[in-house]
Amino acid sequence: MQTTPVIKQYLDIKANNPGSLLFFRMGDFYELFFSDAEVASNTLDIILTKRGQHMGKDIPMCGVPFHSAEGYIKKLLDNNMNVAICEQLESPKEAKMRGYKEIVKRGVVRIITPGTKLEESFLVQKENNILMALFFFDNSWTACWIDISTGLFKSTSTDDSRLLSMIDQISPNEIIAYKNKQEFGVLGSEASLEITWLDNKRSFSKSVLLEFLSSFFDLDHLKELNIGRLGSLSLIVRYLQKNRNLFLEHYNMPEQIELSNIMTIDPSTRKNLEINTSLDGEKNLSLLGVVDKTCSLLGSRLLKRRLNAPSTQTNQIFKWQRKITEFYNDNQITEEVRSLISKFPDTERALSRLIRLGPNPRDLYSLKKGMDLFFLLKDKIKSLRENKIALDDLVEDNLRNILEDLGLAIKEEPPLTIKDGGFIKETFNKELQKIKLEEKNAKFDLLELQKKYSQKTGIKSLKLKYNNVLGYFFETPIAYKDKLLEDNEFFHKQTTVNTIRIKSASLDKAEKTALNARNNALELEVRILGELHQKAIEISKDIIGLSRKISSLDVCSTLGHVAKINNWCCPLVDNSNDFIIDDGRHSVVEKTVLKKSLNGFVPNNCSLSADEHLWLITGPNMAGKSTFLRQNAHIIILAQIGSYVPAKKAKIGVANKLFSRIGASDNISKGQSTFMVEMLETSNIIKNADSKSFIILDEIGRGTATFDGLAIAWAIIEKILRNNKSRTLFATHYHELTEIESKNSKVKNVSCEIKEWNDEIIYSYKVIHGKSKGSLGIKVAELAGFPNDVILEANALLRKFEKKRINEKDVDLRKGDLEKERLLKVKRDIDKIDLESITPLEALNILHGLKSDI
């Protein structure tokens, strides 16, 4: 069977967009054919049908309604699929004017990928949506990343050792890279990374790159970049160009980031410290959840970026501190500022949609509202010294001019779309005012005609209605059909089950006047909207600057607010190797404790310096070792974003790298056991940490035989003391390690205090000097509900191990040892009985329990 013109058109367009599902516009539907239809049908759970044949085979087909397509596209994007939007570029009427057999012209207007989403329903509101290009040249990696929904645009360079940390810090939604040997060799093995591989068929000479990029950026600035940065920038520009998402005239050159100015946090550390989410995936139980009390979406996104990239530059940290302190010291201005910012719209994303998707009244109104609030905030904080948000005079004049136009033109809370009009104030334009009056009079005439016909026919239920097919018409119950059609003034248009629909010459005349006025008004409103849209995007860079001022103000006022309500202190930050904390607290655990109305969180001190930089922490399970480790790591992160910290007093030397090895996990996809993962992560730490780093290690070596684990843990400590010289908190159950303190003055033994009373464990959660009495693991097992015979046998074995200090393979547990342990427990239970108050039933129950123990 011969291929139809429409299918031929589809195949031609599909051939030019092979990596995307083609949403092919057919009237009120987007339709998919062939393999695209099969994939979409399965992913979206929609019916797969067929339409016609191609090369003798049925053509699979499925479709989704145009008006509800966003939900379907979002699901495909969430499954890491790309969607090419193919629209009708002319009306059927225009196509017929070219020839009777001509079909509507169609073309791809945009390709949506996980990294190029714009629609509000596609995006996570409080997170950036990042597209990152990675480019390898001359033994160095260059990354260029952009959020086309907000205007974020940055670049940096790194080596293999920091590559994954850098990617994790930025957390891109999509990574693009050329499928060269080096790129694929390093990135292809990382299963957690979603990478779009592109074929490389281009020269990477500087002259070629400059020639291509000079169409988009200033040539003098481009010449200052090396081939690596030009290559990554070129890669991202070409990808956006191919996907019809290129609007770089609204961007300056990407901001160059020096990774040495940012604390390195590797992926496992970021996860283990629960910076962005808890290990269960909950934001509320993370460090971000504690501090993100921002009032705007812009501020929330900035705070997350800042929390994931703490500064190593004291000047920057001091600048942030001073801004936060102003709000900390003035509660009234903080509340007033936060109240205003809470009304601030997402101007970043509204502007990006206007730039890429065209005029929209709701987005223009968002810009107007944002500019209004900007000037209110500027006036509100004019007394503040550190938090001024003024822009250049020329920039503010530009903003005021467009603000005035938008205020006069756009209705408050305008409709989401332009199709029905009603978004421009009539008072803004005299011609519009005249047309709207004509439309109003025409509608009045229509209503008068309804009254006239109702009186003439005696049908009180005669109603004036409208739809897109018939236009205006009169509708009555079908019982009046004969009566109406006897009158020559009326002519029949449509019959339904219960009604009859009629028209008249007078109705047609009034309808024509009303619809002409309506169409003219809509056409004029659209033209006015287009003019306002053009004015707004002409100052897009000014609006981006305004948005950044507000997001920074939101972050600083929020951190001041959080510090005040939680009684945090302003840390003294310097370039020393000190980490001295008085009454430090774990912000997340403290929040949980308060929420559950438990006893207050127990604060603890920590004191590390060049002279004593490794604390060896012992103590039983559940005594608070892991909490103590994490709280100090959180404190150093907070300090280096300029924030106050949960402590009574703090002095913190800047850390260039933060490492942690906490918790047990495996990597089945790579065939790595829990112990192997632990060793790989620890190896990374001791290879890359230095004297400016901060390390927390928890129970290293526990995943293997006791003496193997002890030997490994001991060797790691010696390595840190001898070479790395990092500030380190090392928690362990290997009590033999406490002997290191007597041999090295840079080590200090501390422990998590516990008390035993009436054969019970009492946790004080206090970190004290000295080593722990023991791990008390069997006590914890008992609390967990282990069977009594298991607990008895474990205690007997423990006494044997402690007495003889031998390996478990050499143990020959005699029956007498276990019997003795059972009798000792019976004696302890009998000693607890209060003979003065016990009831006969209680005594019987105790006797039954003692019998089972014996």
Side-chain angles (χ1 to χ4, degrees), residues 62 194 357 429 557 783:
C62 67
E194 290 290 342
L357 303 180
N429 183 282
S557 60
L783 290 173

PDB file of all heavy atoms in Angstrom, residues 62 194 357 429 557 783:
ATOM      1  N   CYS A  62      -0.854   5.688  18.803  1.00  0.00           N
ATOM      2  CA  CYS A  62      -1.575   6.081  20.009  1.00  0.00           C
ATOM      3  C   CYS A  62      -1.552   7.605  20.055  1.00  0.00           C
ATOM      4  O   CYS A  62      -0.791   8.249  19.321  1.00  0.00           O
ATOM      5  CB  CYS A  62      -0.951   5.486  21.277  1.00  0.00           C
ATOM      6  SG  CYS A  62       0.688   6.120  21.682  1.00  0.00           S
ATOM      7  N   GLU A 194      22.774   9.682  34.678  1.00  0.00           N
ATOM      8  CA  GLU A 194      22.006   9.608  33.430  1.00  0.00           C
ATOM      9  C   GLU A 194      22.708  10.490  32.409  1.00  0.00           C
ATOM     10  O   GLU A 194      22.710  11.714  32.513  1.00  0.00           O
ATOM     11  CB  GLU A 194      20.576  10.087  33.668  1.00  0.00           C
ATOM     12  CG  GLU A 194      19.731   9.149  34.516  1.00  0.00           C
ATOM     13  CD  GLU A 194      19.385   7.856  33.792  1.00  0.00           C
ATOM     14  OE1 GLU A 194      19.503   7.833  32.546  1.00  0.00           O
ATOM     15  OE2 GLU A 194      19.003   6.885  34.456  1.00  0.00           O
ATOM     16  N   LEU A 357       8.711  30.458  25.571  1.00  0.00           N
ATOM     17  CA  LEU A 357       7.384  29.984  25.163  1.00  0.00           C
ATOM     18  C   LEU A 357       6.492  31.095  24.645  1.00  0.00           C
ATOM     19  O   LEU A 357       5.388  30.826  24.175  1.00  0.00           O
ATOM     20  CB  LEU A 357       6.704  29.263  26.333  1.00  0.00           C
ATOM     21  CG  LEU A 357       7.477  28.084  26.928  1.00  0.00           C
ATOM     22  CD1 LEU A 357       6.685  27.452  28.071  1.00  0.00           C
ATOM     23  CD2 LEU A 357       7.801  27.036  25.865  1.00  0.00           C
ATOM     24  N   ASN A 429      -6.177  51.233  26.701  1.00  0.00           N
ATOM     25  CA  ASN A 429      -6.146  51.548  25.275  1.00  0.00           C
ATOM     26  C   ASN A 429      -7.536  52.022  24.824  1.00  0.00           C
ATOM     27  O   ASN A 429      -8.526  51.314  25.018  1.00  0.00           O
ATOM     28  CB  ASN A 429      -5.714  50.305  24.493  1.00  0.00           C
ATOM     29  CG  ASN A 429      -5.587  50.540  23.015  1.00  0.00           C
ATOM     30  OD1 ASN A 429      -6.588  50.585  22.298  1.00  0.00           O
ATOM     31  ND2 ASN A 429      -4.359  50.690  22.541  1.00  0.00           N
ATOM     32  N   SER A 557      17.905  36.560  55.384  1.00  0.00           N
ATOM     33  CA  SER A 557      16.889  36.803  56.414  1.00  0.00           C
ATOM     34  C   SER A 557      16.406  35.494  57.012  1.00  0.00           C
ATOM     35  O   SER A 557      16.122  35.413  58.218  1.00  0.00           O
ATOM     36  CB  SER A 557      15.712  37.587  55.821  1.00  0.00           C
ATOM     37  OG  SER A 557      15.101  36.879  54.752  1.00  0.00           O
ATOM     38  N   LEU A 783      17.587  -5.281  75.098  1.00  0.00           N
ATOM     39  CA  LEU A 783      16.564  -4.255  74.922  1.00  0.00           C
ATOM     40  C   LEU A 783      15.780  -4.465  73.627  1.00  0.00           C
ATOM     41  O   LEU A 783      14.605  -4.110  73.531  1.00  0.00           O
ATOM     42  CB  LEU A 783      17.216  -2.866  74.903  1.00  0.00           C
ATOM     43  CG  LEU A 783      17.787  -2.349  76.221  1.00  0.00           C
ATOM     44  CD1 LEU A 783      18.539  -1.053  75.992  1.00  0.00           C
ATOM     45  CD2 LEU A 783      16.664  -2.140  77.235  1.00  0.00           C
TER      46      LEU A 783
END
